Amino acid sequence: MRTPPLPVPSLLSPWVSEVLSRSTTTVVLVARHRDGRLAHVRIHRCAAGQLRGTYPVGKHDIEVGITDADGGTAALYPDLLESVTAAVEIADPRCRRIIVSLPVTAADEIAAAEQAGLRPVVEVDLPGAELLLMVAEPTWIRDIDGTADHVPGT
């Protein structure tokens, strides 16, 4: 699947960002909060990455990863994730899904993603990892299918 070029989203205040690297499918930003927190944000087209065979990927779907400024343990700040998802929706209005993939055992990170408005969708197995895919969808997708969270028979 040929993927469209990935735009560079502008984070929303109180976060600011600077591009560290960019290709047609990946953008890496350093994000700074006015209170001094730093993080790296990697934004990647799902169709060109590790998730391309794990679910019915759309060519505009985007995977987001956040790590601490040293590239170490994940520093999934809910307010940063909210800023990133909002910025992606603005930068790529055709994006149907913003995905965060987290280890199924990462309870604190899963809770932080839920706090940021993402919902768990499916667990997937990749070589060496069992991941939970969490999704944020733009309003126009939620308006099309208001039953997305309903499991038949429950």
Side-chain angles (χ1 to χ4, degrees):
M1 172 186 310
R2 185 174 175 172
T3 60
L6 184 63
V8 177
S10 296
L11 297 184
L12 306 178
S13 182
W15 290 93
V16 295
S17 60
E18 176 184 327
V19 176
L20 292 180
S21 66
R22 180 178 186 193
S23 72
T24 58
T25 60
T26 304
V27 174
V28 178
L29 308 169
V30 63
R32 290 182 177 84
H33 191 277
R34 68 174 150 212
D35 69 8
R37 288 182 286 160
L38 290 173
H40 286 162
V41 179
R42 182 177 185 270
I43 302 165
H44 189 81
R45 288 279 187 217
C46 294
Q50 69 174 353
L51 299 180
R52 69 181 162 267
T54 62
Y55 75 96
V57 174
K59 66 182 176 181
H60 285 272
D61 290 1
I62 291 176
E63 181 180 12
V64 173
I66 298 175
T67 58
D68 68 14
D70 297 324
T73 60
L76 190 57
Y77 304 120
D79 59 332
L80 176 55
L81 186 52
E82 283 182 84
S83 180
V84 171
T85 57
V88 166
E89 286 182 31
I90 292 166
D92 188 356
R94 295 184 66 193
C95 178
R96 297 173 56 95
R97 292 175 205 92
I98 300 166
I99 303 287
V100 173
S101 59
L102 299 170
V104 295
T105 57
D108 291 342
E109 292 178 356
I110 291 168
E114 287 176 327
Q115 184 181 347
L118 282 83
R119 63 182 176 85
V121 177
V122 67
E123 291 182 13
V124 298
D125 291 323
L126 294 176
E130 186 177 345
L131 302 174
L132 174 63
L133 301 187
M134 301 193 67
V135 67
E137 295 161 320
T139 304
W140 66 272
I141 291 293
R142 291 189 306 266
D143 289 346
I144 291 171
D145 185 6
T147 63
D149 290 330
H150 176 72
V151 176
T154 61

